[in-house]
Amino acid sequence: MIPTLLFLQCVLLGIFLVPLRVILMSLVLTLTWPVAFIITFKQPLKGAVEPMTGWRRFMCERVMTALGMAYYFAMGFRVVVKGKQVSSLEAPILAVAPHSAFFDGIACLVSGLPSTVSRVENLATPLFGRIIRCFQPVLVSRTDPDSRKHTILAIESRAKSEGRWPQVLIFPEGTCTNRSCLITFKQGAFIPGVPVQPVLLRYPNKMDTVTWTWQGRTAIRVLLLTLCQLYTTVEVEFMPPYVPKEDEKKCPPLFASRVRDTMAKALGVPVTDHTYEDCRLMISAGELTLPMETGLVEFTKISRKLNLKWDCLKKELESFAAMASSCKGGNITIEEFARILKLPVNPALAELFALFDRDGNGTIDFREYVIGVNILCRPANTKDVLKMAFQLFDVDDDGKISLSEFNSLLRSALGVPDMDVTKLFNEINADGSGFITFNEFQMFASSHPEYAKLFTTYLELQRYQAIQELPGDLELAGQIRSEEATEDSISDKKDD
């Protein structure tokens, strides 16, 4: 929120400054586009792209940079440069952070128009598309499944060109943040294993008009507020190059983490394990009418431990939303958990709930749900295990489960003699035949993984009873294995 006095000041200044600055910006753009057209005329964007040389490179570094700085001056920016930029031989890659606004492009101008990474769609933007071509960007395509691989190869090729290509400028956070911390750096800038020069961006102004994130002001409002300021200061600081050690060259995540730590220390801000994918999950959570913070699950950390891809986690979020959309705060209590599973609250259900509720606060959040489903449920959801569980339900071995068989076994497994599971039976019995076939049983278990532990509980009880009936030595071995499994489970519950 903008204080009333500052808002009135913006309005009064804006009446005079906005029209003037729009005219100046238009004049600069009118001069810039023909120059960009001349520089990029008959210059290929794909295939065997060669770095610009001679007069083209001179016009990029001098003329286009001067016009770009004039454009920022027309918008009211006062640029302060600290430190010294090194050559592409000393540090082929510039890592710029924090990334918080579309005004951050000022770093490209201060750096003398280095190569950048840009989406293919940006080239089709009126006026600015031709200007972007002057950067000879590494192009990223959303429609090409091999785009990420090609992008990394292109960055590596330019970074190891021994000065033939200008430096490659990358915003390693991959998204805009509010500058309160540095999120996890993407690895693209660090895979080549070459020296990186960190570049810091600061906006030390009384009122923050530039920050543009996934939640907050629109781009138009950010632009108008900035144009209404008497001036807007931006500091661009070149830090000493970071030369990777041997272990960092072999491990890009480690290299990225240490560069981030260095930059965070200089900025005086903390670091967080949240990533660009967490921002995408937050947006998805909002679209599913959940609180946006539901999507903050430290995606990189959780996906590495559970071997999950973005699409998988997005589907898990949709499943969780189907359960939690009616729950207060987007978290699930044990009563809501029982209602969702169409089962009464009983000791067996409470034990399953406790396995999901890793922090023991009495509710299941999305992170706990993802971990619970993928560690507890999916391993018990294989075809072989489900077939054995189905055979236990199918007492008379006729290839189908009746309501009485289903009732009898679940009552025994869950220790609730008067439990009514008719609603659950009818939901599994998709065709309404009055019997559950193995295909129906398997399809339901696959689409409702949270039931897997309940379906296999009786199977585990049978195995336990079998162990108890074995001779002493084997029984002792079984107990030892059980204790080891318990320790592993406890350890896993503590270590996310």
Side-chain angles (χ1 to χ4, degrees):
M1 287 290 292
I2 302 174
T4 305
L5 188 62
L6 285 176
F7 179 76
L8 290 173
Q9 181 182 328
C10 285
V11 172
L12 292 173
L13 286 172
I15 292 171
F16 299 100
L17 291 176
V18 172
L20 176 62
R21 284 176 172 166
V22 168
I23 291 170
L24 290 174
M25 289 160 63
S26 301
L27 287 173
V28 174
L29 271 180
T30 303
L31 292 172
T32 304
W33 191 89
V35 174
F37 181 82
I38 293 169
I39 292 172
T40 58
F41 184 66
K42 290 189 175 180
Q43 277 289 108
L45 283 173
K46 298 179 181 179
V49 180
E50 291 294 321
M52 290 183 185
T53 56
W55 64 271
R56 293 182 194 268
R57 188 63 208 162
F58 175 82
M59 288 189 70
C60 271
E61 290 180 348
R62 301 304 171 91
V63 181
M64 286 297 292
T65 299
L67 288 169
M69 294 299 289
Y71 187 78
Y72 272 86
F73 177 78
M75 286 193 288
F77 276 89
R78 185 173 72 93
V79 183
V80 178
V81 180
K82 297 180 178 181
K84 182 182 178 182
Q85 180 183 2
V86 300
S87 69
S88 59
L89 284 171
E90 294 177 79
I93 292 178
L94 300 172
V96 185
H99 185 23
S100 62
F102 45 78
F103 300 118
D104 292 348
I106 188 70
C108 298
L109 299 173
V110 173
S111 305
L113 258 64
S115 296
T116 57
V117 178
S118 176
R119 291 183 299 174
V120 173
E121 297 86 353
N122 292 341
L123 300 182
T125 307
L127 291 176
F128 291 99
R130 179 63 67 168
I131 295 170
I132 291 172
R133 290 180 63 174
C134 293
F135 293 86
Q136 289 194 288
V138 175
L139 297 176
V140 179
S141 172
R142 290 181 175 180
T143 58
D144 181 6
D146 297 323
S147 179
R148 184 178 182 277
K149 181 179 71 175
H150 294 157
T151 300
I152 291 172
L153 289 174
I155 292 172
E156 191 164 13
S157 173
R158 296 187 185 195
K160 295 181 177 179
S161 66
E162 298 183 347
R164 285 183 63 248
W165 279 94
Q167 288 167 301
V168 181
L169 185 145
I170 295 175
F171 293 95
E173 289 178 293
T175 189
C176 290
T177 67
N178 61 8
R179 298 192 300 280
S180 62
C181 63
L182 291 184
I183 65 174
T184 301
F185 282 4
K186 288 181 170 292
Q187 299 175 29
F190 309 96
I191 289 175
V194 298
V196 170
Q197 182 167 27
V199 183
L200 307 178
L201 288 178
R202 300 184 182 91
Y203 292 90
N205 301 290
K206 186 176 182 181
M207 184 169 71
D208 179 16
T209 64
V210 300
T211 300
W212 181 55
T213 62
W214 64 90
Q215 187 180 25
R217 298 169 184 156
T218 62
I220 294 295
R221 190 179 180 193
V222 166
L223 178 60
L224 282 174
L225 279 172
T226 303
L227 294 180
C228 288
Q229 304 307 303
L230 195 60
Y231 64 86
T232 302
T233 301
V234 54
E235 292 181 359
V236 183
E237 181 181 352
F238 292 94
M239 296 182 66
Y242 189 102
V243 181
K245 302 178 179 65
E246 285 304 315
D247 60 336
E248 293 168 345
K249 290 179 181 179
K250 296 174 183 177
C251 182
L254 177 65
F255 186 9
S257 176
R258 288 180 177 171
V259 171
R260 182 181 63 153
D261 290 344
T262 302
M263 297 175 77
K265 185 177 180 181
L267 289 164
V269 298
V271 298
T272 174
D273 285 333
H274 296 108
T275 62
Y276 167 61
E277 286 76 14
D278 284 293
C279 300
R280 292 174 68 189
L281 282 171
M282 284 184 70
I283 294 170
S284 297
E287 291 171 349
L288 293 167
T289 68
L290 290 172
M292 290 191 74
E293 60 270 18
T294 301
L296 283 172
V297 295
E298 295 183 328
F299 174 84
T300 298
K301 185 176 179 181
I302 201 171
S303 62
R304 183 171 62 247
K305 290 197 171 187
L306 300 180
N307 195 27
L308 288 175
K309 303 297 182 185
W310 157 257
D311 290 338
C312 297
L313 207 55
K314 177 71 163 50
K315 288 178 182 176
E316 301 286 18
L317 180 62
E318 291 170 356
S319 299
F320 180 79
M323 298 181 182
S325 57
S326 61
C327 303
K328 187 177 179 180
N331 287 3
I332 301 172
T333 64
I334 188 168
E335 290 79 14
E336 289 157 343
F337 190 66
R339 178 178 54 79
I340 291 161
L341 296 182
K342 299 178 179 64
L343 296 170
V345 177
N346 57 70
L349 188 78
E351 186 177 341
L352 177 61
F353 183 85
L355 291 173
F356 275 83
D357 181 19
R358 298 168 72 81
D359 60 6
N361 70 345
T363 63
I364 300 172
D365 59 29
F366 176 54
R367 179 186 174 86
E368 291 171 327
Y369 173 79
V370 170
I371 294 171
V373 166
N374 286 278
I375 289 180
L376 301 171
C377 299
R378 297 213 188 281
N381 227 6
T382 63
K383 187 173 181 179
D384 290 340
V385 173
L386 288 176
K387 188 170 287 187
M388 293 176 72
F390 181 84
Q391 289 169 352
L392 283 172
F393 278 94
D394 184 17
V395 177
D396 57 8
D397 200 23
D398 62 353
K400 53 191 177 183
I401 302 170
S402 66
L403 176 59
S404 61
E405 289 173 329
F406 191 72
N407 258 324
S408 175
L409 187 134
L410 273 187
R411 285 172 179 172
S412 174
L414 301 178
V416 185
D418 57 347
M419 182 174 65
D420 182 9
V421 292
T422 304
K423 288 183 179 179
L424 178 57
F425 179 87
N426 291 334
E427 188 168 345
I428 302 173
N429 179 30
D431 61 5
S433 63
F435 296 95
I436 299 174
T437 64
F438 177 71
N439 285 338
E440 288 175 329
F441 188 79
Q442 186 179 22
M443 285 178 64
F444 185 82
S446 298
S447 58
H448 299 78
E450 60 275 6
Y451 279 97
K453 271 290 179 184
L454 293 175
F455 283 164
T456 56
T457 297
Y458 191 67
L459 182 62
E460 290 168 359
L461 287 172
Q462 294 290 315
R463 286 175 175 167
Y464 177 75
Q465 289 172 5
I467 289 172
Q468 298 303 307
E469 295 170 1
L470 291 174
D473 291 342
L474 291 177
E475 182 179 345
L476 179 60
Q479 290 173 353
I480 291 171
R481 281 196 296 272
S482 176
E483 289 171 5
E484 289 173 349
T486 303
E487 289 174 5
D488 289 344
S489 175
I490 293 169
S491 174
D492 174 72
K493 186 166 181 175
K494 288 179 180 177
D495 179 19
D496 285 353

